[in-house]
Amino acid sequence: MHDIVPFPTGRRLQDAFDGQTRAWAERGPLSVERRGEALEALAAALVRRADEFACAVAQDFGHRSVHETKLADLYPVVAGLRHARKHFRRWMKPRRRPIQMMFRPASARIEYQPLGVVGIISPWNYPVQLALAPLAGALAAGNRILIKPSELTPRTSALLAQVIGEVFDESEAAVVQGGPDVAQAFARLPFNHLFFTGSTAVGREVMKAAAENLVPVTLELGGKSPAIIAPDYPLERAAERIAVGKLFNAGQTCIAPDYVLVPRRREAAFVSAFRDAVARLYPNLAANPDYTAIASERHAERLRRLIDDASARGATLHEINPAGESLDPAGRKIAPVLLTGVPEEASAMQEEIFGPVLPVVSYDRVEEAIRFVKNRPHPLALYVFSHDRGFVNQVLGQTSSGGVAINETLLHCVQEELPFGGVGHSGMGAYHGEAGFRTFSHARSVFHQARINGAGMTSPPYGSRMERMLSFLLR
Ligand code: NAD
């Protein structure tokens, strides 16, 4: 393990912002060549320093699987940066638009302009991915970028600051470290766009602060993402994919399945299939390098309270600890827990769980499962397990969510060609691939009048010609 000393903060937020604002005013957007070069340089730096990042994240979390850091924090960013480098010149191209007959022979097009200086606020759960994946789109679009990563992962934030400092001039992109006070001051700055990933509660505060300066926001929030298993789908397969999605990063994933809807007569079989799946995936927990710890004592305590609350309200707990180990609370590893018979008032059915706890809710008819989902705020992700096209279409047609994966969990999020974002309480706006480029660009409409044109036909003085024209247009 490399030892990483937290990087001193040093930089004052206002200085960094003023520097970038000045650079934007004087030098404008990053050149196309510089964007391509920086996208590749950052990807290469991440590849080169992957072990250092894995080590920093592990130290911040107490324990984080090195493989999960490389797979979920580094790979998606490197892939996103390289995808953007390959395609951004095409994304930048103006798009010619058709023009109505009466305005011909003028022409119309959309040009994509960078917005200016943009801010990115990121959370702790995927501290590299969620700071840098938005940067790919923002950089490809030519903006100058300020990032405020989470204070709960200080070593990773310090390493991010170092790497960004090596690849970019501070007037192009910079990292500002600090706690909630810095975060609040950050959200109050008059950015040209503010991109926030985090909780719904803080998202609301960010939007309020941004409204003061009419700063447009993208909010990537959380929520309770359901998984629905249809009567036809093999339970072992569903249980395994849900266990993989739920226990990756110990459930600290914004799109982790939050609860599962199972046909009533299959509930007991699901509990047993899930137990078997966990035992296969994680034969032991305490010393298992693949099983990640809860990142902070506050969150570990919140999860313990969530489990106790469900139990006190009459839910049945099914703890899954395949090797029967005793888990030292100081290590902050929490064994997976299934909850059955959870009353709706329990915190586990009210709050986003964000840990290895999975309520199982039974349903009799698909309409009931759909109603259950629809009675709650729109989730960030929705998972359907069925080979029955009618079932899948009914669920997709009658619900809403940021994204969907069918017969799988999590993987819709790493498709560069699919926009990623929430809807309603799970957020607004989207990114990844071209969607990220568009989020950080202004689509500017350009109408170009022809040298010889008929515009005079619609100018005063209005008379009988106009009358004839209007009776044609309004026929
Ligand atoms: P959080 O909302 O507590 O913090 C996120 C960031 O906001 C941190 O950098 C923090 O410093 C900053 N912040 C705190 N108070 C602020 C304020 N008043 N103004 C501006 N910024 C402020 O979230 P968290 O606990 O770090 O992350 C977990 C949450 O994030 C979960 O709800 C999860 O679902 C959500 N999340 C969403 C996505 C997504 O892509 N939609 C991804 C990961 C996490």
Side-chain angles (χ1 to χ4, degrees), residues 120-354:
I120 296 171
I121 301 178
S122 57
W124 53 266
N125 62 327
Y126 290 95
V128 187
Q129 189 208 131
L130 299 169
L132 298 185
L135 173 140
L139 175 61
N143 297 283
R144 295 173 187 272
I145 304 154
L146 218 49
I147 302 175
K148 154 61 189 96
S150 174
E151 64 280 12
L152 297 183
T153 45
R155 289 175 185 82
T156 312
S157 300
L159 187 56
L160 277 172
Q162 212 176 73
V163 170
I164 292 289
E166 282 164 16
V167 173
F168 295 94
D169 182 79
E170 197 173 290
S171 67
E172 297 174 328
V175 171
V176 180
Q177 301 172 70
D181 49 333
V182 175
Q184 282 171 18
F186 193 96
R188 283 197 299 268
L189 289 171
F191 284 108
N192 296 105
H193 192 94
L194 189 54
F195 188 105
F196 170 82
T197 305
S199 60
T200 303
V202 175
R204 206 172 265 129
E205 296 304 313
V206 166
M207 195 166 173
K208 268 192 218 158
E212 285 297 314
N213 296 309
L214 282 185
V215 173
V217 290
T218 301
L219 299 180
E220 299 283 343
L221 310 177
K224 294 183 79 61
S225 298
I228 306 179
I229 304 177
D232 72 286
Y233 197 81
L235 268 188
E236 294 68 31
R237 175 88 189 140
E240 192 206 86
R241 298 323 296 162
I242 292 171
V244 167
K246 183 68 180 180
L247 300 180
F248 199 93
N249 205 24
Q252 302 165 101
T253 304
C254 55
I255 50 167
D258 188 278
Y259 63 94
V260 56
L261 285 151
V262 183
R264 192 171 306 281
R265 62 185 172 75
R266 302 183 93 194
E267 185 184 287
F270 175 79
V271 171
S272 145
F274 192 86
R275 197 179 273 287
D276 292 348
V278 174
R280 273 194 310 278
L281 298 165
Y282 304 95
N284 64 315
L285 303 173
N288 188 338
D290 297 342
Y291 194 64
T292 292
I294 303 306
S296 68
E297 185 46 40
R298 182 166 69 85
H299 279 284
E301 190 45 43
R302 180 184 61 78
L303 287 164
R304 289 186 204 109
R305 268 206 315 274
L306 199 88
I307 297 168
D308 291 346
D309 170 76
S311 170
R313 290 175 191 271
T316 306
L317 312 188
H318 310 259
E319 194 190 63
I320 310 174
N321 184 345
E325 300 154 286
S326 72
L327 295 174
D328 177 4
R332 296 201 303 270
K333 280 194 175 181
I334 292 188
V337 176
L338 285 179
L339 302 173
T340 52
V342 198
E344 293 218 10
E345 326 74 75
S347 308
M349 289 318 300
Q350 299 291 326
E351 300 167 13
E352 178 182 9
I353 292 177
F354 225 58

Side-chain angles (χ1 to χ4, degrees), residues 391-475:
F391 186 97
V392 173
N393 288 346
Q394 191 173 353
V395 172
L396 265 56
Q398 293 180 28
T399 58
S400 180
S401 66
V404 170
I406 300 165
N407 303 334
E408 190 48 271
T409 53
L410 312 188
L411 294 187
H412 62 296
C413 157
V414 283
Q415 309 309 312
E416 283 300 317
E417 297 290 343
L418 288 181
F420 178 77
V423 57
H425 280 214
S426 56
M428 59 185 72
Y431 71 130
H432 288 189
E434 187 172 348
F437 175 90
R438 301 277 168 237
T439 287
F440 288 105
S441 300
H442 169 56
R444 189 189 209 187
S445 295
V446 180
F447 175 86
H448 194 150
Q449 185 60 283
R451 193 186 291 263
I452 299 167
N453 62 69
M457 308 251 292
T458 52
S459 308
Y462 306 122
S464 56
R465 193 181 58 207
M466 185 55 137
E467 294 285 333
R468 282 198 303 282
M469 195 162 120
L470 282 172
S471 51
F472 172 74
L473 291 174
L474 300 176
R475 66 195 179 281

